[in-house]
Each structure stands twice: as C-alpha cells, then as structure tokens.
Amino acid sequence: MASLPPIANNPDIRYLGALLGDVIRAYGGERLFAATETIRRASVERHRGLGDGASVDLQLEKLDLDETLDFVRGFMLFSMLANLAEDRQGITAEDGADVASALKRLAAEGIDGPRVLDLLDHALVAPVLTAHPTEVRRKSMIDHRNRIAELMAIRDAGQEETADGDLVDEAITRQIALLWQTRALRRDRLGVADEVETALSYLRDVFLPVLPALYQRWDRALGHRTPPFLRPGSWIGGDRDGNPNVTAASLTLALSRASEAVLGYYCDTIHALGAELSISSLRTDIDPAVEALAEASGDSATSRQDEPFRRALSGIYARLAATYQALTGKSAPRPGALRGERYPDPQAFRADLVTLARALAKMGAAAGGDGALRSSGALGRLVRAVDVFGFHLAALDLRQNSAVHERVVAELLKVAGVEGDYAALDEAGRIALLRRELESPRPLTSRFHAYSDETASELAIVQAAAEAHARYGPAAIGIYIVSMAKSVSDLLEVHLLLKEAGLYRPGETATAAIMAVPLFETIEDLEAAPAIMTDWFALPEVAAIAAARKHQEVMIGYSDSNKDGGYLSSTWGLSKASTALRPVFEAAGVGMQLFHGRGGAVGRGGGSAFAAIRAQPTGTVQGRIRITEQGEVIAAKYGTRESAATNLEAIASATLLASLEPVRLSNSENSAFAAAMETLSGNAFRAYRDLVYGSDDFRTFFRQMTPIAEIANLKIGSRPASRTKSDRIEDLRAIPWVFSWAQARVMLPGWYGVGQAITAFEDKGLLREMAKGWPLFASTLANMEMVLAKSDMSVAARYAELVEDGLRDRFTTIRDAWHMTQDGLLEATGQSRLLEDHPALDASIRLRLPYIEPLNLLQIELMKRHRAGDQDDRIGEGILLSINAIATGLRNSG
C-alpha cells in the first residue's frame, strides 16, 4: 500500500471550524471545548498513523451523558459545515459537466446545433423529488446552513457588511450559534403535509428562479431558444406505495400548495415588471398589440396614461389574481382595484407576456439600433418559467403497489356482478376481462355501495386526479407508477381505475390522460421487463395510445434490485434490462423513456448522476430520462441556487452526450465486456445471496450488529420502514437496509460479492481494459471505491461485538470479503490505494473520517446500554443524535 498524502485543508473548513470552536466554548463551556478538542486531536492523529484506537476510546469514556450529547452535536455541526465548505469549493462538481462543454464535445464529433435542437424538441429531463426518509436533518438546521452559504458568498465578494448592516463574520458566527442552540431531532414524525412543504421550499425558492436563468445560459450556448426540456417532478403527495398516510386529501393539498407557490411567484414578478417597464408612448412608438392590452386592462390612472406597458401589466396582474383566486381559493398577493377574467390555462397567460416581449424586441431594431431591450431580462425569464412550470409548478406522479390494485379491481368487479373471484383468474383470463371492461362506457362503481376503506381511498385518488386535470391542466399529473409490476394485467388494472374517473376513455381510438408506468424492481422483474412490454404493446388499444403519445415510460428500481441481488448484479441487471427494452420499443415504433429510481447511497443507485447517465447503454436515453432525487440528496444537490445550477447542468449535459455521442466501443469489445460482466454478475449474485439469504439467522445478525431498530425511532418520514410486520430482510424497505449498514461503517449493499467475483475471474487484463474503456464498468467501480473508502472494518468490528457469540463469525466473512473487494478493485484500476486517482474525493473523505469514528464508538456504547435496559432518556436521544451526526458526516448514507 502506498503512503497516504497529506490533506490540504479547505480554507473555508478552517474558517468555519474555528468559528464553531468559538461557539462551543461560548455556549458549551471551556470544559466541553477542551474535551472536544482532545478527542478531535486524538482521532485525527490516529487517522494519520500517529496514535491508536485505544487513545480515542480512553478520552470518550471521560464524557458524561450530557457531555456526550453536546460532543455529538459539535461533531455533527462540523460535518455539516465541512459539507457546506466542500460544496462551495466545487468538490462535488465534475469537469465538463455543463451544457456548453457538452455542445463543444459534440461539435468536435461533427454533431451540430440543429441536431441538438432536434433532439431537445422532444426531450425530457426530469429530476423527481421524493419523500424517501433519508434526510435526518430538520429543515430548521438546513435553513441556517443555507444562510451561512449566503453570508460566505458575501464574504467572498470582499464585503465586510451585509445589506442590513451586520458585520459578515459576526453574522456567520451568529448562524453557527443558532445551529448550536437549535434542536437537531424532530419531536414528531413527519407527516405528508410536512413533506409537501419541505419539497415546496426547494421548488419555490430554488427551482423557480434557477431554471429560467439556466435556460438563458443555454440559449446563448445554442444560439437559439432552447426548448423547455428540463422540468422538475415530484412524488410527494401522490406516492401511496406502502404509505397509508397518503390520501386524496394529500394529493389535493400537494397540488394546491404547488399552484399557490408558482402563481404567487408570477404575481410578484409581474408586480416587479410593472415597476421596471416605465416606457412612455411620448418617447417611442408602441406596438398596437400592447396598446390593445393596455386598453383592455381597465387601468385608467392618469399617472400611467402614457405608459402602456404598465397599464397592460396592470390588466395581466388582474387576470392573474383572478386565476390565483380560482385555483387556490385565496386572494392573490397585493390585490388591486382592477378585476379581470381568469386565465383559462398557462398558454393564455404566456401569450400576453409574449406580446409584451415582442414589442420590446421591435423597439431598438425599428430605429436601426442594437435592440438592447431584446435581451430576455426578467420578462423573458418569466415567459420561460411559464413554459416550464405552468400553473402546477412540478408534475406530480401517482404511485401504488400492484397488489393494492388487484384487490381494489377484484372488489369493483365483484360488487358490479362482473366477476366473483378475479384473483383466481390466470393472466390470460384477467387480460381478457379487463379489456372487455375497458371497451365498455359503463362505469363499474356504484354510489349506493359502501366499498372497503382501501377501495374507497383508491377511487378517491383517481377522482382527485381528474379534478386536478380540470383545474390545473393535464401537465399536473401525467404518470401513474405501478410498483412490483409483474404482468400486463397490472397495468390494465390502472387503466380500469382511471376509467372510473374519466381519465381513460374507450372508443374507436381509446385515450388515456395519465400514463400507466411499470416499475421493475427485483432482478427477476428486470429480466421479465422486455417480455411484459412486448405483450403490452401487442394490445391494439395500448399501441394506439402509445403512438399518439409518442413515448412510453418504464421505471427501473435500483434499491430493491440491489437488496435482492447485490450491487454488481443490480447494476448489470439494470443495464441489461435497458438494453433489452430498446428493440421492444423500436418494434412498437414508440420512444423509450426510462425512469431511474436512484437513491443517495451507492447501494441504492447513488453516485455521480453525470457519470451514471453517460454510462447508460447505447440508444437507451434518446433525450428522455427521469431520475428520482431522494432524502438527503435533495438538500445536497438543490439546497442552494448555486449547487442546484451545477447539478441541473450536469444531468442536462449528460443526457445530451448519452443521446448523441458516437458509440465508443467496437462490437467485439461490447461482446467481450458483456460476457465478462455476465460472469462477474453471476458470481457476485451467488456470493451475496449466500450471505444475506442463505440462512435464517443472518437477519438476526443484521439486527444485532446495526442500529436498524434504533433507526426506526428516527422521525424522518411519513412512511413505515417495512412493508409488513415481518422482520424478514425481504420485507424490509431498501432505505433502512442501506442506512443501517452505513451507520455500522460496513456499507455492505455497495460492494459485497464484487470481491469474490473479481477474484474468481481469471482474465485480469480484460478487467483492466473494462475499467479503462467501458463507462458502465468504470462508473460501477468508481462508486464502489467511494463506498469502500467510507467503510471501516476496524470500526465495524466494534459493532460486531454487539452480536451474540454464535452469530459473530458472520462478520469474519464480511471483513475478509471487504479486503478481497479492495484488492480486486485496486488490481482492476491499477491503483496502489483507494482513491489514488481521485485526490479531491480522497481528501474530502479522509478529512471527515476522524470526526465520524468517535461518533461510531459513542453510538456503540450507547446502544449497549440501551439494549441492556438503561431507561435514561439521554441514552435514546444520544443514539438518535449519533445516527444523525454519522449520516451527516457520510453524506450519501441512505
């Protein structure tokens, strides 16, 4: 092993760390500060090879319970501030991950602007926010963190004072002190309404201002107006899979609050434009279309008699205020005396804005000048916002498990006297019956029957979706995802439910206002996906609907496929499924849109989105891709406008490259690499399944070694941790599975099985070729390398001491496999140590590890006492606080 290079400390980390130390001394006292410093130095020295684990343990034992809680808080805040510092310095940004760079790369390959624009005309890139519970921090903590980021930007500009007159350094210290004094743990479990509001804060405060500005940048790079191909989505309020708390009321709330936010933004922008566009008819000729808007506005104020743009904007605001009232049931901001007719849809509002924009563009040009008013400015950005966000802000998906649909449809058919035992029918019988019902205009439901709560709830959901289409437009809800989709009937059942609300209409040419989308999650499901989609497109009514829509979406799940078959098998299974689906869609003459269900942790598909998109199989992106953004990833990627712009640029540019770049590998290379990956995947699958599912007692080992039981007490989401009351790993959700292994520093879902597979593979030279020349394999190894660097088998061994004697030998198997995996990765990549070729990431991880290890050791001690029956409330609080702190330090832990 090569010796580790010294870490060049980020100056922001030194600055913020010093301020945090001052805050701890001021608010925690000198004794706490001294103890924290002693432990910090000992841990840093240990990681530099200057000390040993015992010295760290000795210092930790001197803390009493109150000091332990404060110590954990201090280390958690340091990690939080270190994350902020790294984000500001662009540690997480990737070279060339922007649209301008992508266009240059494509131009060098002979791919010109018109080809790019042709792709973008039918493209869709959608980051979809979900409420998956991996964000451990309270929103209050994130808000203070973001304020520090704003203040640091002011400091960067060389300013000593804020606009309010505060000294910048003092204002930053104040925010850190507020962080110190803010309760880190939630007292109550998040409800769906809380999750809606949290997501709304990102959409309203970040996406709304950032995306129009990005489009301005892309317009300049392309030399042409960019089609609105990047639009955000959301699951929050519509994702019912395993979450009984999501109801029709949740859906209605989410849609209403989103509409309120976007319309409020438009109102504020129109108001600001009214102040800006002070153009007088005494100074220039006014376009007749603007004069017509001004006359129709009803604004007769003498002070604005010669200011037609302002008068036109008064009328536009009045109509927008009426729209706000109609869609939200509330009065618009700054209600005025003017009254207007509501806009029937976003296009009508946009048309008025475009009238003003075109008039401005004509002014300078008509006089032979340079047309300075032609630049888009605030008005242009508003037009762009309407293109992207409409009156709904973000498209909201519906999602439910196929088993629920089966029960609901069975009840509807039985009550209607159509079929007494739908569940007993085979697949062919179900398809035939469902198709007959879908051809009939007769509804199945009866308002005179009292349906079960489950059926009533599902019917209420589709009715709420129909009302949303009528209120906000069809863009508000366009997707209905079927979890655990295993057959064509699973999708037809959704059509049947949509039909009850008028969202599926039979006829000579059937129509579906909402697309039924299968989610293929397990390894077996991924393998079956091409056959299912072939049968789906074989139905004439489905083929007609897909042809009219021009594309069909398929969602592929990273989390459950990983939990089912391990990291390498999941990665390869997803790639194979994507590749196998392509000819199915080509034969059907339908565009393919893949929705990638990625989590934050590598074990759930996390890692670089830029690299992951570029590593997709040839021909599978086609300009259309949706990606889930979950939990802590949302704050990390979209917590500030700067980080959001960076990450949105990355997924946009990666989509362009993946869709248009020439194929890099020859057919022979593709065949050799695929054959090798098939062998590797098979061996990794067997090793993983043998460990995790080979014996019943592994679930006991897992529950004793990791804080899975304690994590269940974290109030970080509205959804239960397990699908059932069973303690089987099969029934555990992927999030707590991955989260628990991360806390114990094992990170097992992100690497186990790969070492055994590489060791058994004879042609190591071929592996080195794959690591160098195949983006899929390179990305797979890079993500796994990060996981290995964040894991620590010496710390994990301490967690293994929590396991009863008869089961503890399982850890020896895991530890040996970790070393095997590390050695295999180094051999394949040609490195002498982990992250040798990634110095920035290496420094980032090694900087924070000394701050995580003491937290692990404290967590273990607290878990021992808790499990031994110690009822002190501070024990439980300390465990939860340590979980929070470790997750913050690891960043992508869930």
Side-chain angles (χ1 to χ4, degrees):
M1 279 290 183
S3 59
L4 296 175
I7 299 174
N9 208 343
N10 184 315
D12 283 355
I13 293 178
R14 287 198 301 270
Y15 170 73
L16 294 170
L19 293 185
L20 175 60
D22 292 341
V23 167
I24 292 174
R25 181 188 278 115
Y27 291 91
E30 191 64 40
R31 172 182 163 84
L32 175 64
F33 174 78
T36 300
E37 271 297 287
T38 299
I39 296 168
R40 186 190 68 81
R41 288 197 190 98
S43 188
V44 169
E45 288 177 359
R46 177 206 180 293
H47 280 265
R48 290 177 178 171
L50 304 176
D52 57 35
S55 64
V56 177
D57 289 349
L58 181 64
Q59 304 302 325
L60 291 173
E61 290 170 358
K62 294 181 179 180
L63 299 174
D64 62 29
L65 275 177
D66 289 328
E67 289 171 333
T68 294
L69 296 179
D70 283 337
F71 168 80
V72 172
R73 175 184 292 275
F75 269 41
M76 176 190 67
L77 293 183
F78 175 82
S79 294
M80 193 174 183
L81 295 172
N83 295 345
L84 165 62
E86 289 181 353
D87 291 342
R88 281 174 33 77
Q89 295 298 325
I91 297 297
T92 56
E94 297 165 272
D95 291 338
D98 60 90
V99 168
S101 297
L103 293 174
K104 289 179 183 177
R105 190 190 301 256
L106 292 171
E109 298 284 355
I111 299 166
D112 57 14
R115 280 191 63 188
V116 174
L117 286 168
D118 183 59
L119 176 81
L120 294 180
D121 276 337
H122 65 268
L124 173 67
V125 177
V128 181
L129 307 188
T130 79
H132 286 54
T134 57
E135 175 57 85
V136 294
R137 297 169 299 175
R138 292 179 63 209
K139 184 64 166 55
S140 298
M141 304 285 284
I142 296 172
D143 289 343
H144 288 306
R145 179 258 191 211
N146 290 344
R147 178 56 181 154
I148 292 171
E150 294 170 0
L151 291 166
M152 291 292 286
I154 296 173
R155 186 173 180 268
D156 290 343
Q159 300 177 32
E160 296 184 359
E161 292 185 3
T162 68
D164 297 325
D166 293 331
L167 293 176
V168 172
D169 288 343
E170 289 183 1
I172 294 172
T173 304
R174 172 182 168 80
Q175 290 300 316
I176 295 174
L178 287 169
L179 275 172
W180 178 262
Q181 300 283 41
T182 298
R183 172 170 43 82
L185 300 174
R186 299 183 180 92
R187 293 199 181 280
D188 300 308
R189 181 171 291 279
L190 281 176
V192 178
D194 300 312
E195 292 168 338
V196 166
E197 292 303 317
T198 297
L200 189 62
S201 69
Y202 292 105
L203 291 166
R204 178 189 59 233
D205 301 337
V206 178
F207 281 84
L208 262 172
V210 165
L211 269 175
L214 276 179
Y215 275 107
Q216 278 189 314
R217 183 188 302 173
W218 298 338
D219 289 349
R220 291 191 293 269
L222 276 166
H224 192 281
R225 183 174 177 80
T226 311
F229 71 98
L230 199 157
R231 304 188 293 275
S234 175
W235 275 12
I236 305 171
D239 178 14
R240 308 183 311 288
D241 182 17
N243 192 346
N245 301 308
V246 178
T247 63
S250 305
L251 182 66
T252 301
L253 173 69
L255 292 163
S256 175
R257 293 289 291 124
S259 182
E260 183 179 340
V262 72
L263 290 172
Y265 175 83
Y266 296 160
C267 286
D268 290 343
T269 307
I270 291 294
H271 179 75
L273 282 169
E276 178 182 338
L277 296 183
S278 55
I279 297 166
S280 172
S281 58
L282 302 178
R283 299 286 304 147
T284 186
D285 292 333
I286 302 299
D287 189 293
V290 175
E291 290 282 11
L293 279 178
E295 288 302 314
S297 71
D299 184 354
S300 58
T302 55
S303 60
R304 290 187 290 276
Q305 188 175 4
D306 66 327
E307 295 173 340
F309 281 87
R310 281 180 165 168
R311 292 169 57 216
L313 286 166
S314 294
I316 291 172
Y317 190 95
R319 294 196 67 184
L320 194 59
T323 308
Y324 188 103
Q325 173 75 42
L327 297 189
T328 71
K330 301 177 182 179
S331 296
R334 307 182 188 87
L338 296 181
R339 294 289 178 267
E341 181 183 351
R342 62 166 287 189
Y343 285 110
D345 51 45
Q347 290 70 37
F349 174 44
R350 183 187 190 276
D352 283 353
L353 299 178
V354 169
T355 296
L356 301 184
R358 287 175 176 167
L360 289 174
K362 290 178 183 177
M363 286 182 177
D370 62 4
L373 293 178
R374 294 183 64 184
S375 63
S376 61
L379 179 57
R381 287 191 294 275
L382 179 57
V383 172
R384 179 65 78 178
V386 177
D387 287 340
V388 173
F389 302 107
F391 287 166
H392 62 282
L393 183 58
L396 183 61
D397 293 355
L398 304 179
R399 185 170 79 128
Q400 183 56 284
N401 195 288
S402 61
V404 174
H405 297 145
E406 180 183 323
R407 292 192 296 269
V408 169
V409 167
E411 183 175 353
L412 293 178
L413 293 170
K414 184 175 182 179
V415 170
V418 175
E419 172 57 54
D421 193 356
Y422 174 76
L425 298 178
D426 61 14
E427 176 65 4
R430 291 186 183 193
I431 291 174
L433 172 57
L434 293 169
R435 291 184 69 196
R436 285 197 303 272
E437 285 301 317
L438 286 168
E439 289 173 357
S440 170
R442 167 186 54 80
L444 278 175
T445 51
S446 168
R447 58 195 178 96
F448 302 110
H449 181 79
Y451 291 97
S452 67
D453 290 344
E454 181 176 64
T455 296
S457 177
E458 294 303 305
L459 291 173
I461 283 285
V462 292
Q463 185 58 46
E467 291 168 1
H469 274 217
R471 182 179 290 267
Y472 308 109
I477 302 174
I479 300 291
Y480 194 132
I481 296 162
V482 184
S483 298
M484 294 296 174
K486 299 180 183 297
S487 64
V488 167
S489 64
D490 287 340
L491 301 177
L492 289 175
E493 287 165 1
V494 170
H495 278 178
L496 193 67
L497 293 175
L498 294 174
K499 176 173 167 279
E500 292 303 303
L503 294 169
Y504 179 97
R505 294 184 181 274
E508 187 172 335
T509 301
T511 61
I514 293 177
M515 186 194 314
V517 172
L519 168 51
F520 300 114
E521 301 180 77
T522 66
I523 300 294
E524 182 181 357
D525 291 345
L526 290 168
E527 292 172 348
I532 293 172
M533 295 310 297
T534 298
D535 292 344
W536 179 241
F537 289 134
L539 302 178
E541 63 273 30
V542 169
I545 291 169
R549 190 184 287 120
K550 298 182 180 179
H551 70 274
Q552 166 70 45
E553 178 170 288
V554 170
M555 185 172 185
I556 50 178
Y558 289 64
S559 301
D560 282 294
S561 60
N562 180 287
K563 185 165 73 72
D564 179 42
Y567 174 57
L568 195 64
S569 298
S570 170
T571 301
W572 182 230
L574 290 158
S575 179
K576 284 197 302 179
S578 301
T579 301
L581 283 167
R582 178 186 173 188
V584 173
F585 278 75
E586 288 176 348
V590 176
M592 183 168 70
Q593 178 173 301
L594 291 181
F595 186 9
H596 296 260
R598 290 160 49 95
V602 167
R604 295 183 51 243
S608 164
F610 181 72
I613 294 171
R614 295 196 65 197
Q616 292 304 304
T618 301
T620 61
V621 177
Q622 303 175 7
R624 303 190 71 90
I625 190 168
R626 298 206 305 152
I627 304 172
T628 54
E629 302 285 26
Q630 305 179 7
E632 80 281 9
V633 171
I634 296 176
K637 286 187 174 182
Y638 308 112
T640 66
R641 296 181 183 183
E642 293 76 14
S643 62
T646 297
N647 285 287
L648 292 170
E649 281 264 22
I651 61 175
S653 59
T655 302
L656 291 178
L657 293 171
S659 302
L660 295 172
E661 267 193 313
V663 177
R664 298 296 182 188
L665 298 178
S666 66
N667 289 336
S668 60
E669 286 176 319
N670 259 327
S671 298
F673 291 174
M677 195 66 155
E678 188 70 22
T679 299
L680 290 166
S681 174
N683 288 333
F685 179 82
R686 284 186 289 274
Y688 177 86
R689 293 288 302 188
D690 183 59
L691 175 76
V692 176
Y693 300 107
S695 61
D696 287 339
D697 59 12
F698 187 78
R699 60 183 172 184
T700 304
F701 168 82
F702 162 65
R703 292 183 179 277
Q704 290 182 2
M705 180 175 173
T706 73
I708 176 65
E710 289 78 9
I711 287 170
N713 292 321
L714 272 177
K715 299 175 175 62
I716 58 175
S718 66
R719 198 167 67 162
S722 289
R723 290 186 171 91
T724 70
K725 294 181 179 180
S726 162
D727 68 348
R728 298 192 319 151
I729 292 171
E730 293 91 332
D731 296 322
L732 182 69
R733 290 193 180 278
I735 291 171
W737 167 252
V738 173
F739 198 97
S740 301
W741 286 117
Q743 287 286 312
R745 301 294 298 285
V746 180
M747 312 281 193
L748 183 139
W751 60 266
Y752 194 86
V754 183
Q756 295 94 318
I758 291 177
T759 299
F761 195 82
E762 294 182 0
D763 192 348
K764 300 298 193 291
L766 179 57
L767 292 183
R768 287 190 287 273
E769 288 181 40
M770 292 163 62
K772 184 176 294 185
W774 191 17
L776 173 66
F777 197 58
S779 174
T780 300
L781 293 184
N783 288 335
M784 187 177 75
E785 187 174 6
M786 177 183 67
V787 168
L788 292 173
K790 289 185 178 182
S791 58
D792 190 318
M793 289 301 108
S794 64
V795 173
R798 303 293 293 274
Y799 281 90
E801 294 174 5
L802 297 169
V803 180
E804 61 191 70
D805 292 341
L807 298 176
R808 202 172 296 160
D809 61 342
R810 295 286 189 281
F811 178 70
T812 303
T813 302
I814 292 171
R815 182 178 57 202
D816 292 346
W818 186 93
H819 287 290
M820 192 184 300
T821 305
Q822 176 189 239
D823 294 345
L825 181 139
L826 295 178
E827 184 170 12
T829 59
Q831 299 175 102
S832 60
R833 61 177 179 82
L834 293 176
L835 298 178
E836 184 176 24
D837 294 341
H838 306 280
L841 180 58
D842 177 47
S844 167
I845 291 175
R846 288 201 291 122
L847 172 72
R848 65 188 63 241
L849 290 182
Y851 296 86
I852 300 174
E853 180 176 344
L855 297 170
N856 286 122
L857 300 176
L858 281 171
Q859 184 183 86
I860 292 166
E861 181 58 33
L862 293 170
M863 286 169 62
K864 284 180 182 176
R865 294 172 62 174
H866 179 68
R867 292 177 180 184
D870 193 326
Q871 298 299 310
D872 193 312
D873 289 342
R874 293 172 295 177
I875 298 287
E877 182 180 355
I879 293 172
L880 298 182
L881 196 59
S882 70
I883 292 171
N884 188 308
I886 292 168
T888 301
L890 292 172
R891 301 206 76 169
N892 52 348
S893 63

